[in-house]
Amino acid sequence: MKLSDIAQKLGCEMRGMDVEITSVSGIDEADKGDITFVSNRKYISRIKTTKASAIILGKDIPPIDIPSLRTDDPYFAFARALEIFFEPLQPETGIHPTAVIGEGVILGNGVNIGSYAVIGRNCRIGDNTTIYPNTVLYPDVVVGRDCVFHSFVTVREGCRMGDRVILQNGVVIGGDGFGFATVDGVNHKIPQIGRVEIGDDVEIGAHTTVDRAAVDVTKIGKGTKIDNFVMIAHNVQIGENCIIVAHSGIAGSTKIGNNVTIGAQVGIVGHIKIGNNVTVSSQSGVSRDLRDGEVVGGNPITELKQSIKIRATMRKLPEMYKDIIKIKEKLEIKE
Amino acid sequence: MKLSDIAQKLGCEMRGMDVEITSVSGIDEADKGDITFVSNRKYISRIKTTKASAIILGKDIPPIDIPSLRTDDPYFAFARALEIFFEPLQPETGIHPTAVIGEGVILGNGVNIGSYAVIGRNCRIGDNTTIYPNTVLYPDVVVGRDCVFHSFVTVREGCRMGDRVILQNGVVIGGDGFGFATVDGVNHKIPQIGRVEIGDDVEIGAHTTVDRAAVDVTKIGKGTKIDNFVMIAHNVQIGENCIIVAHSGIAGSTKIGNNVTIGAQVGIVGHIKIGNNVTVSSQSGVSRDLRDGEVVGGNPITELKQSIKIRATMRKLPEMYKDIIKIKEKLEIKE
Amino acid sequence: MKLSDIAQKLGCEMRGMDVEITSVSGIDEADKGDITFVSNRKYISRIKTTKASAIILGKDIPPIDIPSLRTDDPYFAFARALEIFFEPLQPETGIHPTAVIGEGVILGNGVNIGSYAVIGRNCRIGDNTTIYPNTVLYPDVVVGRDCVFHSFVTVREGCRMGDRVILQNGVVIGGDGFGFATVDGVNHKIPQIGRVEIGDDVEIGAHTTVDRAAVDVTKIGKGTKIDNFVMIAHNVQIGENCIIVAHSGIAGSTKIGNNVTIGAQVGIVGHIKIGNNVTVSSQSGVSRDLRDGEVVGGNPITELKQSIKIRATMRKLPEMYKDIIKIKEKLEIKE
C-alpha cells in the first residue's frame, strides 16, 4: 500500500517520498517496507537508527530524513494502521456441538460458542458475541452484542454485561465477595447475593476478578479498561473511561469517578470516594477520599510532586540521622 | 414477613413499629419494604436519609425514627437476614453425563458434578459436595462433605480437603512450589512431592494459589478465610480462623498461628513464625517473627501506632531535610 | 537403599554409618529411615533434634553425630535424592477421545492430551509433550518436546514455546497487552498483533500471565523460572536463567538481562533496561535502568545495603522530627 493511501485513511499529513508500505512494526524491530511510530519522546533518538520505511510522528517533531505521517496523536494513528494491515483472530463460527446450552437460553444472531463452553439456564447473549472454548456462564447471565469472552472466563449467576465487552482469559466476574462476620473468633460467611454490572466497551485483562456485591451491585462504567490481576471487591463502583493497571486492588464499597487513572500495584481502601479525573501513581496506598482532578502518589499519598520529593529525601535519611546526632552533641541536647 | 418474626429468628430486640419486610438491601440502595443494617460507624449519618423500612443496629446506638432490630453484632445479624430472604444458587444436580470420572473414584451420596469436570483416578468425594462445570481434580484427591468447588478450580494430585470447604473460581490447590537449586548459573527444579491439606470450613477466593509442599505438607487450618489472588507458598502452615486479604503473599515454610488477620498486599518472608491473634495491616512487609497478639504495620514493620506516626512524619521529610541544612549552616557544621 | 549407594548416585562424600534409607523428608518432619538436608544456616541447630537417619550437608559444617552426605550444594543434592525416591505424577497417556484437535494440527510421538483439551488449527506439538485436561491452545501455536502444560493453561494464537517448558495451572501466554490510546477522554484499543516466545527449560507458576506483544514479540529466555501471579507486559524481553518471584510485575517494553533475580511484589516500570546478574529485593519499585551486577532494594531503589539502612532509619523518623523541633527552638530558628 502506498504511504499516501495510509495517510488518507488515517487523516495524517504525509511528508517525504510516497513509499510502498507492506507491514507495521516497532521502531527497533522495523525493516524495509515497515511503517513504525514514535509517541514516547524517549524513543525520538531511535529515528536515526530505525530501518523502517516510514514513521508516524507528532506534528511538533522537527523534519526527519525518512518519510513520515504527521498527526496530533501518533499512538492512535499507529493503532489504526495496525487495523489496516492485520486481521484479528477469527474464532470458529457457530455453536460447537459440545457446547452445553442450558434451558431457556436465548442466543442472538451470529453468536459463536466454542467447544466445552457451558452456558447456564436462562442466559441471554446478544448478536455477534463470541465465546471461546472452555468458558462458563452461570445461570441468568445477560451479555450484550459484539462481546468477546476468551477461554476460561467465568461469569457468575445473574451478572450483566454491556455491548462490545472484551474479557481476556481467566477473568472472573461475580465471584463471591470477601465478607465474614467474626463472632467469638469464628468467621461466618455473609451471603453474597448481589451481582456485577459491566458497561459497554469495557475491556478486562487476564485473570482479573470483579466480585459480586454482598447486596445490590458492583459496577464498572462504560469504556473503562482494566489490566491483569486487578481485584475489584464487592460493591465497588467504577465510573466511565477509567484505566486501572495490573495488580491493583480496590476494597469494598469504594466509589470511583470517571476518567480516573490508577497505576500498577496500588491499594485503595474500602468505603471511600474518589472523584473524576484523578490520577494515582503506581505502588501507592490510598486511604482517604480524593477530590476531582487530584494527582497523587506515595504511601501515605500526597500530591504527586510532593511524593516524588519525599522519595528523593528518603535516600538521605541515614545521613540526616547522623547529622541530628552531631547537632545534638554540639548543642549538648540530651534525651 | 413481619419485623417481629425476623427479630425472633435473629434473636434481636425490636424497637418501633412491627412493619412488613420483603427484602434486604444496602443502606444507600434500600427502598420501602427493605431491611438494612449499620455496623460501620461511618454510615450512622445515613440512617437519616435511607428509605429502608427497618435497620439492624448496635444496641449502643441512640434511638432512631424508623423501626430497628438491636443486637451486639449487626453485621452477623444482617448475614442471617440475607439467608432468610435469599436462596443460594442451586447447582445442576447429579453427575453430568460429560463429567469424566476416573477409575477407582468413590463418590458420596448427593454429590453433584458439572459438565466437563474431570475427576482423576482414585479420588474420594464426600456427601453432598458440589463440583461446578470445567473443574479438574487430579488423581488421589480427597474431598470432604458439603464442599462447593466452582468452575475452573484445580486440585492437584494427592491433596486433601475437609468438610464445607468453598473454593471460588480459578483456585489452584497444590501447584508445584517454586523451588530451584542454582548451580553454575543454571536453575534446577526441586521436585515438589509433598501435598496440601485444607481444614474444615475454609473458604478461598478466586484465583488464589496454595502451592504443594516440596516434601511433607502445606496446611491451612479450619475456619480460615482467604481472599482473591493470595499466594501461599510451599510448606507454609496457617492456623485456624485466620483472615487473609487479597494480593498478599506468604513465602515458603512460614508458620502462622490462629486468629491472625493479614491485610491486603502484604508480603511475609519465608521461614518465620507468626503467633496467634496477630494483625498485620495492608501493604506491610513482614521479615521477622511476630509474637502472640502483636499488631503491626509498615515496611519495615513496627507496632501499628508507631507505623502510622512514621507514615505521618514521612510527609514532613523534605521540610526536615531543609531544616537540617539550615541548622548546620547556623552551627557551621561541615561535611 | 544404602546411604553409600545414595552417596554414589549424588556424588557426595559419606560420613558416619552406612544406614538404610527408605524416604526423604524435611528436617522437622523427618522420621527414622528418612534422609533430610540443611542448606539454610538458620536450620543448623535443628540437626540436634531431627529424627532423620541421615542428613545432606555442606562440606564446611563441623562433624555431627548422625550419618551425613557432604557436598558443596546440599539443596541440589537433596533435589536429586527426591528424584531417586519419588516418581513424578504419571499423566493419562495418549490422546483422550474428547480432546478437540483442530485442522492441520501436527502431533509428535508420545504426545499426551487430556480430556476436554482444545488444540486450535495448525498447532504443532513436539514429542512426549503432555497437555493436561481442560487446557486450550489457540490456533498456530508451536510447542516443543517434553513440555508439560497443566490444566487451565491458555496459549494464545501464534505463540511459540521451546522444549521442556513447564506451565503450572492457569498460566496465560499471549493474552492481549494493555494498550489504549486515549483521545478526548475515550480509550481506544491498540490491536495487539505480536506474539510470545518462550525459551527451552522455562517454568512458569500458576496463573502467571505473559502478554502478547503489540507488534513483534514478548520474549522469555531459556532456563528462566517464574513464580505465581507474575505479570509480564507486552514487548518485555527477559534473558536466560532469571528468577522472578510471586506478584511481581514488569511493565511494557522493559528489557532484562541474564541471571537476574527479582524478589516478590516488585514493580518495574516500562521502557527501561536491566543488565545481567542484577538482584532486586522484594517489594521494591524500579524506575530506572540498572547496570550489570547491581544489587538493589527499596522504593525508591538504592544499593541494597543503603536501602536496609534507610528502612532502619525510618523507624526513628518521629523521634528525629521531635529532635529537629527541639533544636530549632534552642537555636531560635523560625519558619
Side-chain angles (χ1 to χ4, degrees):
Chain A
M1 190 179 286
K2 287 277 171 201
L3 186 60
S4 55
D5 294 335
I6 300 173
Q8 197 182 1
K9 276 179 196 279
L10 305 185
C12 295
E13 175 197 342
M14 186 175 84
R15 300 193 193 162
M17 265 178 54
D18 190 13
V19 290
E20 187 75 23
I21 300 297
T22 55
S23 189
V24 184
S25 189
I27 189 144
D28 288 340
E29 299 82 2
D31 220 327
K32 197 171 176 305
D34 289 350
I35 187 165
T36 187
F37 80 112
V38 171
S39 73
N40 186 331
R41 288 191 157 261
K42 192 167 174 176
Y43 288 103
I44 283 179
S45 65
R46 309 222 184 148
I47 293 174
K48 285 177 188 154
T49 55
T50 187
K51 294 178 187 153
S53 293
I55 304 186
I56 303 172
L57 267 185
K59 286 184 177 162
D60 53 327
I61 308 293
I64 61 171
D65 291 340
I66 44 178
S68 63
L69 298 187
R70 301 305 184 117
T71 169
D72 289 332
D73 199 326
Y75 193 36
F76 182 49
F78 177 69
R80 295 187 52 211
L82 286 170
E83 285 165 1
I84 295 172
F85 284 94
F86 294 93
E87 213 177 298
L89 175 66
Q90 292 304 315
E92 307 281 331
T93 53
I95 313 298
H96 194 276
T98 62
V100 172
I101 312 291
E103 274 179 45
V105 167
I106 300 173
L107 300 179
N109 296 318
V111 168
N112 305 313
I113 301 183
S115 47
Y116 305 130
V118 178
I119 312 298
R121 56 184 183 269
N122 302 321
C123 286
R124 279 185 291 151
I125 299 179
D127 295 349
N128 303 317
T129 283
T130 292
I131 293 182
Y132 277 89
N134 292 51
T135 279
V136 174
L137 274 50
Y138 280 53
D140 304 309
V141 165
V142 179
V143 180
R145 53 180 303 158
D146 299 305
C147 294
V148 177
F149 292 2
H150 281 282
S151 297
F152 306 123
V153 159
T154 303
V155 185
R156 289 275 297 268
E157 62 275 17
C159 294
R160 298 177 195 173
M161 329 287 293
D163 299 334
R164 295 172 303 281
V165 170
I166 300 175
L167 303 181
Q168 298 290 331
N169 307 86
V171 165
V172 179
I173 303 295
D176 281 4
F178 193 64
F180 300 91
T182 305
V183 179
D184 299 333
V186 176
N187 306 308
H188 299 270
K189 182 176 177 72
I190 311 290
Q192 304 288 308
I193 56 100
R195 64 180 190 281
V196 176
E197 285 180 20
I198 308 260
D200 296 341
D201 298 299
V202 167
E203 178 164 347
I204 300 184
H207 285 324
T208 279
T209 64
V210 183
D211 280 0
R212 66 193 309 106
V215 287
D216 311 307
V217 61
T218 304
K219 217 178 247 180
I220 297 180
K222 71 178 183 187
T224 286
K225 312 292 186 182
I226 303 179
D227 201 357
N228 303 357
F229 295 127
V230 173
M231 162 61 179
I232 310 288
H234 48 186
N235 291 82
V236 165
Q237 300 197 12
I238 297 175
E240 300 181 1
N241 298 315
C242 296
I243 296 273
I244 305 176
V245 187
H247 281 133
S248 287
I250 303 171
S253 300
T254 281
K255 289 181 185 171
I256 293 180
N258 300 325
N259 296 92
V260 169
T261 301
I262 297 171
Q265 298 179 333
V266 169
I268 300 182
V269 300
H271 299 282
I272 65 170
K273 194 159 179 262
I274 292 179
N276 299 319
N277 300 302
V278 165
T279 299
V280 180
S281 69
S282 291
Q283 295 192 318
S284 301
V286 181
S287 53
R288 62 163 171 88
D289 290 358
L290 293 174
R291 293 179 310 278
D292 287 0
E294 283 201 75
V295 178
V296 299
N299 185 352
I301 48 159
T302 60
E303 194 264 330
L304 183 61
K305 277 183 197 163
Q306 180 67 2
S307 89
I308 291 167
K309 264 191 214 164
I310 290 169
R311 289 192 179 193
T313 316
M314 275 176 65
R315 293 176 197 270
K316 295 167 179 156
L317 255 181
E319 190 191 321
M320 287 167 67
Y321 182 69
K322 281 186 207 155
D323 280 344
I324 289 174
I325 288 176
K326 227 183 285 175
I327 293 165
K328 285 165 69 183
E329 280 172 6
K330 186 142 187 175
L331 294 178
E332 296 180 342
I333 293 175
K334 286 160 195 166
E335 295 314 303
Chain B
M1 191 179 287
K2 287 278 170 199
L3 186 60
S4 56
D5 293 336
I6 300 172
Q8 198 182 0
K9 276 178 196 278
L10 305 185
C12 295
E13 176 196 343
M14 185 176 85
R15 298 193 194 163
M17 265 178 54
D18 190 13
V19 289
E20 187 75 24
I21 299 298
T22 55
S23 189
V24 184
S25 189
I27 190 144
D28 288 340
E29 299 81 3
D31 220 326
K32 198 171 175 306
D34 289 350
I35 187 165
T36 186
F37 81 112
V38 171
S39 73
N40 186 331
R41 286 188 160 264
K42 191 167 175 177
Y43 288 103
I44 284 178
S45 65
R46 309 222 183 146
I47 293 173
K48 285 178 186 151
T49 54
T50 187
K51 292 177 188 155
S53 293
I55 304 186
I56 303 173
L57 266 186
K59 285 183 178 164
D60 51 328
I61 309 294
I64 61 170
D65 291 341
I66 44 177
S68 62
L69 299 187
R70 301 304 184 117
T71 169
D72 288 333
D73 200 326
Y75 193 37
F76 183 50
F78 177 70
R80 296 187 50 213
L82 285 171
E83 285 165 1
I84 295 173
F85 283 95
F86 294 93
E87 212 177 298
L89 175 66
Q90 292 304 315
E92 308 280 331
T93 54
I95 314 299
H96 195 276
T98 62
V100 172
I101 311 291
E103 274 180 45
V105 167
I106 300 173
L107 301 179
N109 295 318
V111 167
N112 305 313
I113 301 183
S115 46
Y116 305 129
V118 177
I119 311 298
R121 54 184 186 269
N122 301 320
C123 286
R124 280 185 290 151
I125 300 179
D127 296 349
N128 302 317
T129 282
T130 292
I131 293 182
Y132 276 89
N134 294 51
T135 279
V136 173
L137 274 52
Y138 280 54
D140 303 308
V141 166
V142 178
V143 180
R145 52 180 303 158
D146 299 305
C147 294
V148 177
F149 293 2
H150 281 282
S151 298
F152 306 123
V153 160
T154 303
V155 185
R156 289 275 297 268
E157 62 276 18
C159 294
R160 298 176 195 172
M161 330 285 295
D163 299 333
R164 297 172 301 282
V165 170
I166 300 175
L167 303 181
Q168 298 291 329
N169 308 85
V171 166
V172 179
I173 303 295
D176 280 4
F178 193 64
F180 300 90
T182 305
V183 180
D184 299 332
V186 176
N187 306 309
H188 299 268
K189 182 176 177 72
I190 310 290
Q192 304 288 308
I193 56 101
R195 62 181 192 282
V196 175
E197 285 181 19
I198 308 261
D200 297 340
D201 298 299
V202 167
E203 178 163 348
I204 300 185
H207 285 323
T208 280
T209 64
V210 183
D211 281 1
R212 68 193 310 105
V215 286
D216 311 307
V217 61
T218 304
K219 218 179 245 178
I220 298 180
K222 71 176 182 188
T224 286
K225 313 293 186 183
I226 303 179
D227 201 357
N228 303 356
F229 295 125
V230 173
M231 162 62 180
I232 310 289
H234 48 185
N235 291 82
V236 165
Q237 300 197 12
I238 298 175
E240 302 181 0
N241 298 315
C242 296
I243 296 274
I244 304 177
V245 186
H247 282 132
S248 288
I250 303 171
S253 300
T254 281
K255 289 182 184 169
I256 294 180
N258 300 325
N259 296 92
V260 168
T261 300
I262 296 170
Q265 299 179 331
V266 169
I268 300 182
V269 301
H271 299 283
I272 64 171
K273 195 159 176 262
I274 292 179
N276 299 319
N277 299 301
V278 165
T279 299
V280 180
S281 71
S282 291
Q283 296 192 317
S284 301
V286 181
S287 52
R288 61 163 172 87
D289 290 357
L290 294 173
R291 293 180 309 277
D292 288 359
E294 283 201 74
V295 178
V296 300
N299 186 352
I301 49 159
T302 59
E303 194 265 331
L304 183 61
K305 277 182 195 162
Q306 179 69 2
S307 90
I308 291 168
K309 264 190 213 165
I310 291 169
R311 289 193 181 194
T313 316
M314 275 177 64
R315 294 176 196 272
K316 294 167 178 156
L317 255 181
E319 190 190 322
M320 287 167 66
Y321 182 70
K322 281 186 205 154
D323 280 343
I324 289 174
I325 288 175
K326 226 183 284 174
I327 292 164
K328 284 165 69 183
E329 281 172 4
K330 187 142 186 173
L331 294 177
E332 295 181 344
I333 294 175
K334 286 160 196 167
E335 295 316 303
Chain C
M1 191 178 286
K2 287 277 171 201
L3 186 59
S4 56
D5 293 336
I6 300 173
Q8 198 183 0
K9 276 179 196 278
L10 304 185
C12 294
E13 174 196 345
M14 185 176 85
R15 298 192 194 164
M17 266 178 54
D18 189 14
V19 289
E20 186 75 23
I21 299 298
T22 55
S23 188
V24 184
S25 188
I27 190 144
D28 288 341
E29 300 81 4
D31 220 326
K32 199 171 176 303
D34 290 350
I35 188 165
T36 187
F37 81 112
V38 171
S39 73
N40 186 331
R41 286 187 160 266
K42 192 168 174 176
Y43 288 103
I44 284 178
S45 65
R46 309 222 184 146
I47 293 174
K48 286 177 186 154
T49 55
T50 188
K51 294 177 187 155
S53 294
I55 304 186
I56 303 172
L57 266 185
K59 285 182 176 162
D60 52 326
I61 308 294
I64 61 170
D65 292 341
I66 45 176
S68 63
L69 299 187
R70 301 304 184 116
T71 170
D72 289 333
D73 201 324
Y75 193 36
F76 182 49
F78 177 70
R80 295 187 50 212
L82 285 171
E83 286 166 0
I84 296 173
F85 284 94
F86 293 93
E87 212 178 297
L89 175 66
Q90 292 303 317
E92 307 281 332
T93 53
I95 314 298
H96 196 276
T98 62
V100 172
I101 312 290
E103 274 178 46
V105 167
I106 301 174
L107 300 179
N109 296 318
V111 167
N112 305 313
I113 301 182
S115 45
Y116 305 131
V118 177
I119 311 298
R121 55 184 184 267
N122 302 320
C123 286
R124 280 184 292 151
I125 300 178
D127 295 349
N128 303 316
T129 282
T130 293
I131 293 182
Y132 277 88
N134 292 51
T135 280
V136 173
L137 274 52
Y138 280 54
D140 304 309
V141 166
V142 178
V143 179
R145 52 181 301 158
D146 299 303
C147 294
V148 177
F149 293 2
H150 280 282
S151 298
F152 306 124
V153 159
T154 303
V155 185
R156 289 275 297 268
E157 63 274 19
C159 294
R160 298 175 195 175
M161 330 285 293
D163 299 333
R164 296 172 302 282
V165 170
I166 300 175
L167 304 181
Q168 298 291 329
N169 308 84
V171 165
V172 179
I173 303 296
D176 281 4
F178 193 64
F180 299 91
T182 305
V183 180
D184 300 332
V186 176
N187 307 308
H188 299 270
K189 182 176 178 71
I190 310 290
Q192 304 289 307
I193 55 99
R195 62 182 192 282
V196 175
E197 285 180 19
I198 308 261
D200 296 341
D201 298 299
V202 168
E203 178 163 347
I204 301 185
H207 286 324
T208 279
T209 64
V210 183
D211 281 0
R212 68 192 310 106
V215 286
D216 311 306
V217 62
T218 305
K219 218 178 246 178
I220 297 180
K222 70 177 181 188
T224 285
K225 312 293 185 181
I226 304 179
D227 201 356
N228 303 357
F229 295 126
V230 173
M231 162 62 179
I232 310 289
H234 49 185
N235 291 82
V236 165
Q237 300 197 13
I238 297 175
E240 300 181 2
N241 298 315
C242 296
I243 296 272
I244 305 177
V245 186
H247 282 134
S248 287
I250 303 172
S253 300
T254 281
K255 290 182 184 170
I256 293 180
N258 301 325
N259 295 92
V260 169
T261 300
I262 297 171
Q265 298 179 332
V266 169
I268 300 182
V269 301
H271 299 282
I272 65 171
K273 193 157 178 264
I274 292 179
N276 299 319
N277 299 302
V278 165
T279 299
V280 180
S281 71
S282 292
Q283 295 192 318
S284 301
V286 181
S287 53
R288 61 163 171 88
D289 290 357
L290 294 173
R291 293 179 310 277
D292 288 359
E294 283 201 74
V295 178
V296 299
N299 185 351
I301 49 159
T302 59
E303 193 265 330
L304 183 61
K305 276 183 197 163
Q306 179 68 1
S307 90
I308 291 166
K309 264 190 216 167
I310 291 169
R311 288 193 181 194
T313 316
M314 275 177 63
R315 294 175 197 273
K316 294 167 181 157
L317 255 181
E319 191 191 321
M320 287 167 68
Y321 182 69
K322 281 185 207 156
D323 280 343
I324 289 174
I325 288 175
K326 227 183 285 175
I327 293 165
K328 285 165 68 185
E329 281 171 4
K330 186 142 185 173
L331 295 177
E332 295 181 343
I333 294 174
K334 285 161 196 164
E335 297 315 303

